[in-house]
Amino acid sequence: MKIFSVYGYSKSGKTTTIANLIKELIKRGYSVGSVKDIHFEQFAIDTEGSNTDRHRKAGAELVCARGLYETDILYQSRLSIPEILRFYSQDFVIFEGTSDFSMPRILCSTSMEDLGRRFNEDVFAISGVISSEITSYKNLPAINSLTEIERLTDLAEKKAMEWK
């Protein structure tokens, strides 16, 4: 399994970039999984008073909500990246918004100032909104996922980190 992350500020083009990468990787014959890191303190799938909320409050360590078209497993804690990856067997897993684990990254941005604030040694490419304005940043390519998804996917295939 190979992993990489797409990160940046809100409205920078992260989700669009990931959706395009997923489609292109699948087109190339790979299986793909994704992990979306959510940074809103109040976020919870489980809602107050729901049946699963009542199960959790009664003491269940693990709660599963099984619907007709979806199964959600609700842990009562934030899992680490290695713990999350144990659930995946796909060829690629793409992380969105994950910043607490070192892995190869595509940085999406809306401005040069944002690039300067978010850039680090894990970044192998720039994409998102800013990629329609620049062609490179600090000797790394700026690749627009709307117009050059094949090129961005080629680079992601090479730069993604192998995970056991």
Side-chain angles (χ1 to χ4, degrees), residues 19 42 68-69 79 101 119 122 124 130 136 138 159 162:
Q42 300 304 315
L68 294 176
Y69 304 105
L79 299 181
F101 189 84
F119 188 84
D122 292 334
F124 66 85
I130 194 78
S136 67
K138 296 194 180 208
K159 299 291 186 173
E162 191 69 44

Side-chain angles (χ1 to χ4, degrees), residues 43-56:
F43 173 79
I45 289 176
D46 210 9
T47 57
E48 182 71 31
S50 67
N51 290 345
T52 52
D53 177 60
R54 291 175 63 197
H55 294 188
R56 180 181 53 81

Side-chain angles (χ1 to χ4, degrees), residues 56-85:
R56 180 181 53 81
K57 286 179 177 172
E61 293 177 18
L62 185 64
V63 177
C64 179
R66 185 171 175 241
L68 294 176
Y69 304 105
E70 174 176 281
T71 301
D72 300 309
I73 299 174
L74 310 173
Y75 285 86
Q76 306 311 310
S77 64
R78 179 178 170 93
L79 299 181
S80 69
I81 298 303
E83 288 170 320
I84 290 169
L85 284 169

Side-chain angles (χ1 to χ4, degrees), residues 66-128:
R66 185 171 175 241
L68 294 176
Y69 304 105
E70 174 176 281
T71 301
D72 300 309
I73 299 174
L74 310 173
Y75 285 86
Q76 306 311 310
S77 64
R78 179 178 170 93
L79 299 181
S80 69
I81 298 303
E83 288 170 320
I84 290 169
L85 284 169
R86 288 193 309 220
F87 296 100
Y88 286 84
S89 61
Q90 286 74 19
D91 299 318
F92 281 88
V93 177
I94 304 173
F95 289 81
E96 179 175 345
T98 303
S99 59
D100 64 338
F101 189 84
S102 181
M103 68 178 86
R105 301 178 187 284
I106 297 170
L107 174 55
C108 291
S109 181
T110 58
S111 70
M112 295 301 287
E113 294 78 29
D114 288 350
L115 282 177
R117 283 192 286 268
R118 300 298 299 246
F119 188 84
N120 67 42
E121 67 279 352
D122 292 334
V123 176
F124 66 85
I126 307 301
S127 194

